[in-house]
Amino acid sequence: PLDAVERLISRLPVPISLRYGAGATPFFSISKDYIHLPDSLRDGPPTTHAKTLLHEVLHAVLKHAHPASAGERHAFGTPGYACREVATETASLWVASWLQINDPEMTRASAAYCLNWMDAIGEDRKALFVLSRRAQLLFDWIASASGNPVSDASDMEQEMT
């Protein structure tokens, strides 16, 4: 699975700087423009490693491919921050499926992650549509930029079920 993600990254027209190190939390540093992944991720399931990397890559894509969204600074835990996290997580799950990285535990973990952030979004009825649209735009951009656009939406729908 990690090979598929690394091949995808190599075809993207955005700079991806990846660092492994101490700490338990993966993140993309907008100000320093790099992805940090915990060393411990290397020892875990390959699908978890690949999926976590995809999530952080999509944060980098947002900064470089959609500069207007990079300027959106939302404090941790706010509805705006939560929308960004859910959209990124949703798109990364779609990209993983598109790359044929499928693992039921990974899917459950993604769902739990999204549900956790949905609590922060609260009662905003438009938020679900906004974040769904963002996730779709991210996925479409990745597919197009990688040189492998999705040929048939119905194929994708089958993969996602």
Side-chain angles (χ1 to χ4, degrees), residues 1-5 37 41-55 89 92-93 95-97 99-110:
L2 196 54
D3 291 344
V5 175
L37 294 178
L41 201 56
R42 293 178 181 184
D43 299 326
T47 53
T48 301
H49 189 169
K51 173 65 182 49
T52 302
L53 177 55
L54 272 175
H55 177 95
E89 183 65 16
S92 67
L93 190 60
V95 173
S97 180
L99 294 173
Q100 299 180 352
I101 303 169
N102 297 301
D103 175 4
E105 182 52 38
M106 177 185 73
T107 303
R108 279 190 289 279
S110 287

Side-chain angles (χ1 to χ4, degrees), residues 16 34 54 57 71 78 124 131 143-144 159:
I16 303 294
Y34 73 91
L54 272 175
V57 163
T78 62
D124 185 350
L131 65 89
S144 177
E159 290 176 21

